[in-house]
Amino acid sequence: MTGSRRGSWLRACAGGLIGVAVAVVTLWRWHDIASGEAWLNAQLVRAAGLADTKSIGAAVIFPLDERWVGFMVSSGCSVALLLIPPIVLASTLIGFRRISMSRGLNALALAVVLLVTVNQIRLAAVVVSMQTWGFQLGYERSHVLIGSVITTAGLIAVTILFVVLVGRTKRIRGAVAGVH
């Protein structure tokens, strides 16, 4: 194996290992991420005038029928798990030099922002559903049905956008399709 080829594989492995390390830290600190999500959701829902929400750790609480109710942002409901694939993929593609550092980081940053946004919309839907249909029925409808639709649609959109951003190629100026 030539030195250039070995260096290329070392860079690729380093990129992949950096991505895996960031993913492990993300998993390790998922509760901190979930607490941040709960805080952000409480701020956004309150600012939108949907409910007088507050956060306590990873829980979002609000008054309903003269008592405080809410939900916990668990590991399965946190955006933390959703962040891992784009982190590992972007770092590996950068390591293999399939994409530039700036393109990879831009695509990753956009994916993170969009995934957080989608999850915040899903969490806000839980609050609105609980207010509309009551504590138990609202939670069940929003968590299982509405939340799944929001998350699935969001994941599909983010995945397509991520692939487009990391897969686009530079076009040669003045080139016309089929003419060389």
Side-chain angles (χ1 to χ4, degrees), residues 35-55 59-62 71 112-125 127-128 131:
S35 295
E37 289 178 276
W39 177 86
L40 180 59
N41 188 256
Q43 304 306 311
L44 294 173
V45 168
R46 188 177 333 112
L50 299 173
D52 183 23
T53 48
K54 299 180 183 341
S55 67
V60 176
I61 61 170
F62 54 94
F71 58 89
V112 167
V113 167
L114 291 175
L115 288 169
V116 168
T117 301
V118 166
N119 212 42
Q120 287 299 310
I121 292 169
R122 184 182 67 80
L123 295 175
V127 173
V128 171
Q131 288 183 316

Side-chain angles (χ1 to χ4, degrees), residues 19-50:
V20 168
V22 172
V24 166
V25 169
T26 300
L27 283 176
W28 183 294
R29 305 302 299 200
W30 77 264
H31 191 268
D32 294 330
I33 294 169
S35 295
E37 289 178 276
W39 177 86
L40 180 59
N41 188 256
Q43 304 306 311
L44 294 173
V45 168
R46 188 177 333 112
L50 299 173

Side-chain angles (χ1 to χ4, degrees), residues 131-146:
Q131 288 183 316
T132 303
W133 294 300
F135 178 75
Q136 186 165 346
L137 184 59
Y139 181 79
E140 289 171 0
R141 286 182 177 172
S142 62
H143 192 260
V144 175
L145 179 61
I146 298 167

Side-chain angles (χ1 to χ4, degrees), residues 11 15 17 27 29 43 57 61 92 111 125 132-134 153 159-160 163 165 173 175:
R11 265 191 317 276
L17 287 174
L27 283 176
R29 305 302 299 200
Q43 304 306 311
I61 61 170
T92 302
T132 303
W133 294 300
T159 301
I160 290 169
V163 169
L165 288 174
R173 248 195 245 180

Side-chain angles (χ1 to χ4, degrees), residues 61-79:
I61 61 170
F62 54 94
L64 181 67
D65 298 329
E66 298 183 27
R67 63 186 171 136
W68 284 89
V69 299
F71 58 89
M72 181 76 81
V73 180
S74 67
S75 61
C77 293
S78 173
V79 75

